[in-house]
Amino acid sequence: MKVALLTSGGIAPCLSASIGRLADQYYKQYPDVEVIGYLNGYKGLLLGKSISINNVDFDKLYNFGGTPIGNSRVKLTNKEDCINNGYIKSNENPLEVAAMQLKKDGVDILHTIGGDDTNTTAGDLVNYLDQNNYRLTVVGLPKTIDNDVYPISLTLGAITAAQQTAFFFKNIVNENTTSSRQLVIHEVMGRNCGWLTAKSAKLYLDELNDRLFLPDLNIFKEKWSIHAIYIPENNIQLDKEIYRLNKVMDEYDCVNIFLSEGAGINSIINDMKNQNITV
């Protein structure tokens, strides 16, 4: 049996760990298995570049971020990009090239560790090979720090990202002591999903409850707290928030905001439409 792994899409925690755990379990269950990793996701598959993932101490991979076999955002559906980057020839179809490489390498099982594009493309590969009388089993592992893959309750990398985001803000929030009327906006990834922003905020506030403060020295909890959390799922009433946060600024001399990168888009679009501005 021959097993291939590839990681693709945006970077996320747990890639190295998932590779280590997968390979470790395969070698334990099937000592004669051959495990390879395509370098830099679908790019390596198109170019036929892979490395052998030998039976070593995979536990060490749990301590590393990123991925030892590399990542990329190469899409097999973007033929022009694949041609321009020299991954395929002008007369080739990237899906066909990738499928034939899997067949050439004799891969029985392909593990695709990535997001939506990564795993839907893997499904396209299965269909293509099936039409060419080659049986390939694909097992997709949903990886995204946004944690927005339904019905998966927790995707690879999401909880680690939330923990690190909360830890990062724990250091950044001290900036509100550098000057008066300080505004700290902590922007968190999440174009359409506010889970990472909300989860990191909760983790930070849970830790904040266990900290000791010195009100007599102007070190009180409210200055280190979160005064607003904005996520894409909720509309932001900007006028009301401006009024509310101005009162917070007057009382505590600072405002701390957790902002999901996609938050407020609907409010901005509605304001533009109300002003007859072309969106």
Side-chain angles (χ1 to χ4, degrees):
M1 180 171 61
K2 191 169 186 178
V3 177
L5 314 175
L6 67 79
T7 53
S8 184
I11 201 70
C14 295
L15 293 177
S16 292
S18 62
I19 291 169
R21 180 54 63 90
L22 277 169
D24 184 46
Q25 290 300 308
Y26 268 114
Y27 282 117
K28 286 180 178 178
Q29 299 294 326
Y30 310 98
D32 296 329
V33 70
E34 182 181 357
V35 182
I36 65 170
Y38 286 109
L39 298 176
N40 301 113
Y42 287 116
K43 173 185 175 181
L45 180 55
L46 289 172
L47 297 175
K49 293 185 177 180
S50 63
I51 59 172
S52 175
I53 301 179
N54 297 317
N55 190 5
V56 296
D57 185 2
F58 293 112
D59 287 351
K60 293 180 180 178
L61 280 174
Y62 301 159
N63 298 317
F64 289 91
T67 163
I69 56 177
N71 242 42
S72 73
R73 291 187 179 272
V74 174
K75 296 182 180 180
L76 300 184
T77 53
N78 193 336
K79 180 178 178 179
E80 184 179 355
D81 180 66
C82 291
I83 293 173
N84 292 337
N85 284 287
Y87 304 146
I88 62 172
K89 297 177 181 178
S90 59
N91 62 338
E92 291 180 324
N93 179 345
L95 189 63
E96 180 181 6
V97 171
M100 291 302 100
Q101 186 63 50
L102 289 166
K103 186 175 181 180
K104 178 183 176 182
D105 292 338
V107 174
D108 301 299
I109 300 175
L110 174 65
H111 285 278
T112 54
I113 308 171
D116 183 55
D117 287 335
T118 299
N119 291 305
T120 54
T121 297
D124 293 335
L125 285 171
V126 171
N127 292 333
Y128 184 90
L129 287 167
D130 186 57
Q131 294 169 8
N132 287 270
N133 300 316
Y134 185 89
R135 181 172 176 79
L136 174 71
T137 299
V138 171
V139 181
L141 278 74
K143 171 273 310 175
T144 171
I145 63 175
D146 292 337
N147 197 34
D148 59 353
V149 181
Y150 178 84
I152 304 299
S153 61
L154 188 64
T155 57
L156 288 171
I159 192 64
T160 305
Q163 292 167 343
Q164 291 301 314
T165 299
F167 179 77
F168 182 78
F169 184 73
K170 181 180 178 181
N171 294 321
I172 292 298
V173 71
N174 294 308
E175 289 289 326
N176 67 33
T177 65
T178 61
S179 64
S180 60
R181 301 187 70 80
Q182 184 82 6
L183 170 64
V184 177
I185 299 178
H186 183 50
E187 185 179 8
V188 183
M189 288 186 67
R191 183 175 54 190
N192 299 309
C193 177
W195 182 89
L196 184 59
T197 303
K199 184 65 174 180
S200 58
K202 182 181 186 304
L203 292 175
Y204 173 77
L205 291 174
D206 287 346
E207 194 272 342
L208 191 70
N209 289 330
D210 296 329
R211 297 180 67 182
L212 299 177
F213 293 91
L214 300 169
D216 293 340
L217 290 178
N218 201 33
I219 301 176
F220 46 92
K221 184 178 180 180
E222 289 77 7
K223 287 179 70 72
W224 272 259
S225 189
I226 302 172
H227 305 119
I229 302 172
Y230 301 131
I231 59 176
E233 290 84 348
N234 291 343
N235 290 323
I236 304 173
Q237 296 179 297
L238 292 175
D239 291 340
K240 290 184 178 180
E241 280 299 276
I242 290 171
Y243 177 77
R244 182 182 72 84
L245 292 179
N246 263 313
K247 293 179 67 175
V248 173
M249 181 70 81
D250 291 339
E251 183 173 0
Y252 301 124
D253 203 36
C254 67
V255 168
N256 306 317
I257 297 175
F258 268 48
L259 174 69
S260 180
E261 64 175 327
I265 291 178
N266 291 334
S267 300
I268 294 170
I269 290 175
N270 289 335
D271 284 346
M272 293 175 68
K273 289 180 177 178
N274 291 334
Q275 299 176 49
N276 294 319
I277 298 173
T278 301
V279 179

